[in-house]
Amino acid sequence: MTGVRLRDVTLADADLLDVWAASPEIHGEFNDFGPPPQDRSPIREALAEGPLRNEYNGQLLIIRLSDGTPVGSVSWHAVSYGPRPGSRAWNIGISLIPEARGLGYGPEAQRQLADYLFETTDANRVEASTDVDNVAEQRALEKAGFAREGTQRGAQFRAGSYHDLITYSRLRSDP
Ligand SMILES: CC(C)(COP(=O)(O)OP(=O)(O)OC[C@H]1O[C@@H](n2cnc3c(N)ncnc32)[C@H](O)[C@@H]1OP(=O)(O)O)[C@@H](O)C(=O)NCCC(=O)NCCS
C-alpha cells in the first residue's frame, strides 16, 4: 500500500523549506553540503512564478497520505552523456525528516519520482548516486526498482573531503 505521494512546492511551503535547510538532522550526514545561502529571497521569487521545476532541475515535496504532512523532498537535475538531447538523463536525490525514515517512504517516493520523470520527459535513464556507506539509501533504491551499477571514486566533495559514491539507475524499459 502507498503511504506517500509527491506534490509541487508552493510559496506557502517556503518557511518549511527554510527550517529544513537550516537543520543538520534533517539533511543527514550524507547530505552535509555546508550552510545554505543566506539570501533566501530567490526561492520565494521562483515560487511566486510557479512550481520549482524546469527543463534542467526540479523539486517535489513528499506528502504522507495519512495526514497530508510534508515529510521530505525529492529533487532532480539533468546530467548529459553526449552532445544531443537524447543523451540527457536525470540524477535524483531525496531527504526525509528523521521521524519519517525507516518506514518505506523513501523507496515509494523514489519509484514515484522515476515514474513521473519517464511520464513527463523523453529521458531514457534516471540515476541516483549515494555514499558507499549510505546503506539505507542503497536498499531504498533497490526496493524502488533501481539497478546497482558501480562505484564512482572520489566523486562528491562533502563535509570537507571527497567521497566515493555508488551509482544506481532505472531505464525506461526496466520493469
Ligand atoms: C535514505 C532514505 C531516503 C531511505 O528511505 P527510508 O524510507 O528511510 O527507507 P526504508 O524505510 O525503506 O529503509 C531502507 C532500508 O535500509 C535499512 N536501513 C535503514 N537505516 C539503516 C542503517 N542506518 N544502516 C543499515 N541499514 C539501514 C532498512 O532496514 C531498510 O532495509 P530493509 O527494507 O531491507 O529492512 C532516508 O532514510 C533518508 O532520507 N535519509 C537521510 C537522507 C539521505 O541519506 N538521503 C540520501 C542521500 S544520497
Side-chain angles (χ1 to χ4, degrees):
M1 188 182 134
T2 303
V4 292
R5 68 179 175 88
L6 304 179
R7 73 152 166 82
D8 275 320
V9 185
T10 70
L11 194 51
D13 301 309
D15 289 346
L16 178 64
L17 291 186
D18 283 349
V19 170
W20 287 356
S23 166
E25 292 75 29
I26 287 172
H27 283 298
E29 63 173 310
F30 298 111
N31 278 324
D32 178 10
F33 294 105
Q38 289 306 302
D39 180 4
R40 290 172 179 161
S41 57
I43 194 172
R44 286 177 170 75
E45 284 170 16
L47 282 168
E49 300 291 318
L52 293 182
R53 51 184 160 81
N54 57 43
E55 61 184 301
Y56 306 107
N57 53 48
Q59 183 177 15
L60 296 172
L61 289 181
I62 304 167
I63 306 299
R64 187 164 55 204
L65 286 177
S66 60
D67 59 3
T69 301
V71 292
S73 67
V74 288
S75 60
W76 64 95
H77 65 271
V79 290
S80 197
Y81 289 98
R84 303 282 178 264
S87 299
R88 194 173 73 159
W90 297 113
N91 185 290
I92 69 170
I94 183 169
S95 186
L96 289 167
I97 59 174
E99 55 268 37
R101 295 175 193 162
L103 301 171
Y105 296 161
E108 281 184 35
Q110 290 175 106
R111 184 182 288 278
Q112 290 177 32
L113 178 59
D115 291 345
Y116 169 81
L117 292 170
F118 286 134
E119 282 166 17
T120 57
T121 75
D122 293 335
N124 185 54
R125 170 185 169 89
V126 176
E127 65 178 37
S129 301
T130 192
D131 196 282
V132 290
D133 292 329
N134 194 347
V135 180
E137 173 63 347
Q138 291 168 38
R139 270 296 292 150
L141 286 166
E142 283 160 9
K143 290 196 285 182
F146 284 69
R148 187 180 178 108
E149 294 185 328
T151 307
Q152 294 170 296
R153 296 183 305 139
Q156 188 170 84
F157 189 79
R158 201 186 71 238
S161 62
Y162 288 100
H163 295 262
D164 294 350
L165 301 178
I166 308 283
T167 299
Y168 287 79
S169 70
R170 246 186 80 186
L171 302 185
R172 184 175 286 277
S173 56
D174 284 346

